[in-house]
Amino acid sequence: MLRAGKLVGMPTETVYGLAGDATDPNAVAAIYAAKGRPRINPLIVHVHTFDAALELAEFTPSAMRLAEHLWPGPLTLVLTRRPSSGIVDAAAAGLPSIALRVPAHPVALKLLRLTQRPLAAPSANLSEELSPTQAAHVIESLGERVALVLDAGPCPAGVESAIIDARTDRPTLLRPGAVSRETIEGLVGPLSSAHGSQGIVAPGMMRRHYAPRAHLRLNVLAPEPDEGYLGFSPPPSGRQAHLNLSVHGDIHEAAANLFGMLRALDARFARIAVAPVPMQGLGEAINDRLARAAAKSEQDGV
Ligand code: TXA
Ligand code: MG
């Protein structure tokens, strides 16, 4: 199906991707159309080995080091695209760069190996909606816009890859993700922040994103009676959470549960309150997704 230009739901260790052949202009156009994604927001291209990635982009020393240590895995590198890459321009939204990742999920790796194509794959949800961490979420979001979903069960990490712009000596963290800042900085030193004078580097880093329908309130210790409460570790107030990201306060378990639990509460409540989640490790990615999900609620002032 991928060779015929169709779109396939692909499990990865982070979230399910909506995969299409990154060298096929029709497949890439179909990805943007299926998601209702603005065409200025570039896609991540997945390849099955570091060597395959080297053919598509120019690697700086910091990029080499990150790729050697963290691929396959939940790390995306933004690099300068080689003219010979064969990646269609639209996949990178016309930018001279390309976002590359070698996923660790065995099903994703096998699919990449069998197709022998670089696969463009954004998260398999409608633009701005919650990311899918189960095959059923992909069908709920995209229905017949996706030809086939490979069901490999729940995604083990549950939040998207960390995105690093590694084109300069001091790499920039564009999106915190399933590999922590601490791990990345341990390899290449302190990261620059994306919110500098350079403006929006990743067009997808729009403030509102990953949004449920419900109104979302963050860092809540005492939820209101009509709110669905998403807890983290035993709630100090004694108020029972409707769902708990991790009763034992395990940040990896919390990341894996995040999008699925938000979906579940969104189906039951018009208002959701979320307990504070610490910023350490994957907590940075969890808090980033929660802040973006809550952005509309803040703007509305409701
Ligand atoms: O974990 C993940 O990264 C998942 C799985 C499926 O691999 N994919 C994913 O894709 O989260 P998506 O499209 O939902 O998010 C991709 C992000 C967007 O914020 C986009 O702006 C950024 O990557 N991006 C892609 N290409 C870029 C580029 N050339 N320069 C800067 N940012 C880029
Ligand atoms: Mg996404």
Side-chain angles (χ1 to χ4, degrees):
M1 283 180 152
L2 286 164
R3 290 210 190 109
K6 296 241 169 43
L7 307 184
V8 169
M10 171 174 76
T12 83
E13 71 277 29
T14 58
V15 301
Y16 276 79
L18 178 64
D21 181 350
T23 64
D24 177 344
N26 294 323
V28 170
I31 292 176
Y32 283 97
K35 281 185 60 95
R37 180 175 180 117
R39 301 186 64 97
I40 56 156
N41 190 2
L43 309 174
I44 296 176
V45 174
H46 300 66
V47 290
H48 74 298
T49 60
F50 189 178
D51 281 347
L54 286 170
E55 285 175 23
L56 303 180
E58 290 166 23
F59 277 66
T60 56
S62 62
M64 295 292 286
R65 189 162 164 78
L66 289 170
E68 270 162 15
H69 285 84
L70 298 176
W71 278 354
L75 173 80
T76 295
L77 295 173
V78 172
L79 299 164
T80 302
R81 185 155 45 116
R82 290 190 197 282
S84 59
S85 72
I87 303 292
V88 303
D89 252 12
L95 297 170
S97 57
I98 185 81
L100 291 177
R101 146 165 140 86
V102 180
H105 196 291
V107 175
L109 283 174
K110 186 162 187 188
L111 187 62
L112 287 162
R113 191 158 39 81
L114 290 174
T115 53
Q116 292 289 316
R117 307 276 164 87
L119 297 178
S123 52
N125 51 281
L126 294 179
S127 193
E128 294 204 343
E129 280 190 349
L130 294 168
S131 297
T133 52
Q134 296 176 29
H137 299 163
V138 180
I139 316 262
E140 263 168 48
S141 283
L142 297 173
E144 286 171 5
R145 295 157 187 239
V146 54
L148 173 87
V149 182
L150 293 171
D151 186 350
C155 300
V159 290
E160 296 86 345
S161 60
I163 305 181
I164 301 283
D165 184 343
R167 287 173 292 180
T168 57
D169 288 345
R170 181 167 175 165
T172 305
L173 181 62
L174 299 180
R175 177 178 75 183
V179 54
S180 71
R181 172 195 290 273
E182 291 89 331
T183 300
I184 298 167
E185 292 189 334
L187 292 165
V188 294
L191 296 167
S192 300
S193 160
H195 314 289
S197 53
Q198 42 196 333
I200 295 174
V201 194
M205 304 312 289
M206 291 141 187
R207 211 162 79 88
R208 176 178 159 80
H209 209 131
Y210 313 104
R213 275 177 299 267
H215 174 267
L216 195 62
R217 221 156 55 87
L218 305 183
N219 297 311
V220 175
L221 288 173
E224 313 271 327
D226 68 328
E227 283 176 323
Y229 190 39
L230 182 57
F232 177 76
S233 70
S237 62
R239 165 81 198 264
Q240 274 303 313
H242 294 98
L243 291 173
N244 202 313
L245 289 168
S246 170
V247 221
H248 306 293
D250 175 339
I251 206 75
H252 288 92
E253 185 182 18
N257 282 331
L258 178 69
F259 286 125
M261 287 189 172
L262 281 174
R263 264 179 202 258
L265 290 177
D266 201 23
R268 286 170 56 196
F269 297 93
R271 289 156 49 82
I272 301 171
V274 187
V277 177
M279 277 298 271
Q280 280 77 41
L282 296 199
E284 187 178 1
I286 295 173
N287 281 297
D288 170 81
R289 305 307 186 270
L290 285 171
R292 288 174 203 284
K296 166 124 190 312
S297 308
E298 279 166 26
Q299 282 159 18
D300 289 354
V302 285

